[in-house]
Amino acid sequence: MLATPTPSPAETRDNTAFDALLWTLSRPGLPRKLPEPGEGTIITALLDRECLVYSADPLLMPEIMRTGAELADIDRADHVFLGAMTTSDPIADINIGSDFYPDAGATVIIRASFGSGPALRLAGPGVDGAMSLQLDGLPDGFWKARAARLRYPMGFDLFFVDGARVVGVPRSTTVEEV
């Protein structure tokens, strides 16, 4: 009889991060704790050698390269790490998938601060009616640029990272600045 494999600490960390990411996409706007602060656990939980990745933050490159993922321009990338954004311009180039493959839209990871900044109203699948969220650190026009790009089911899913917390906003979520 074969013994049940025991996951390594790294596998346990990555599985915990992956679970947190899925949980936040199914409950838009609600934060979840990551095993470690920053994008590192998201990188190791999501990326492998079959992924195309764009990173605006060169400090993330060593961790990205260790996954075996291939670097790509933003318009071809499956995963887009935008770091701390100063302009909404990159939103115009993010891959939103196609009519035949809407699921090919990118997963976008951005640094932001929770609990301060402009108030947002989220509605859609996974939200009971509507909910409020405050995100600071996004450039002016971010939500308008996102709305202009989405053609549901085509679009991109967002993860906002604040230290060891993450919030998900899937492409199906309507976001209104209030």
Side-chain angles (χ1 to χ4, degrees):
M1 188 159 162
L2 296 174
T4 302
T6 303
S8 70
E11 289 171 321
T12 300
R13 180 197 65 222
D14 295 346
N15 288 339
T16 301
F18 189 78
D19 180 61
L21 295 171
L22 288 179
W23 190 92
T24 63
L25 282 184
S26 65
R27 294 162 185 88
L30 295 178
R32 188 75 172 209
K33 192 170 181 342
L34 291 168
E36 297 172 2
E39 295 98 327
T41 57
I42 294 174
I43 290 169
T44 57
L46 293 182
L47 303 184
D48 61 30
R49 69 180 117 199
E50 294 183 15
C51 297
L52 298 175
V53 182
Y54 172 86
S55 178
D57 184 348
L59 296 177
L60 297 177
M61 296 306 283
E63 190 72 32
I64 290 170
M65 298 310 294
R66 278 193 283 276
T67 68
E70 182 181 337
L71 299 180
D73 291 332
I74 194 169
D75 62 332
R76 291 184 45 239
D78 306 314
H79 298 84
V80 175
F81 291 83
L82 292 177
M85 293 183 71
T86 57
T87 175
S88 294
D89 293 346
I91 299 298
D93 297 322
I94 293 172
N95 181 3
I96 64 167
S98 68
D99 288 330
F100 290 115
Y101 298 102
D103 58 324
T107 299
V108 181
I109 299 89
I110 300 170
R111 284 184 216 124
S113 296
F114 306 160
S116 63
L120 305 170
R121 181 179 176 274
L122 279 60
V127 179
D128 186 14
M131 72 160 304
S132 296
L133 173 67
Q134 283 185 281
L135 284 177
D136 202 9
L138 298 177
D140 289 339
F142 177 86
W143 295 107
K144 287 181 181 167
R146 175 189 178 259
R149 287 288 288 153
L150 297 182
R151 295 189 317 241
Y152 189 80
M154 292 183 292
F156 50 88
D157 299 320
L158 292 164
F159 289 113
F160 295 99
V161 179
D162 181 2
R165 296 181 303 160
V166 63
V167 165
V169 178
R171 68 190 77 194
S172 59
T173 301
T174 302
V175 179
E176 178 184 353
E177 296 178 85
V178 292

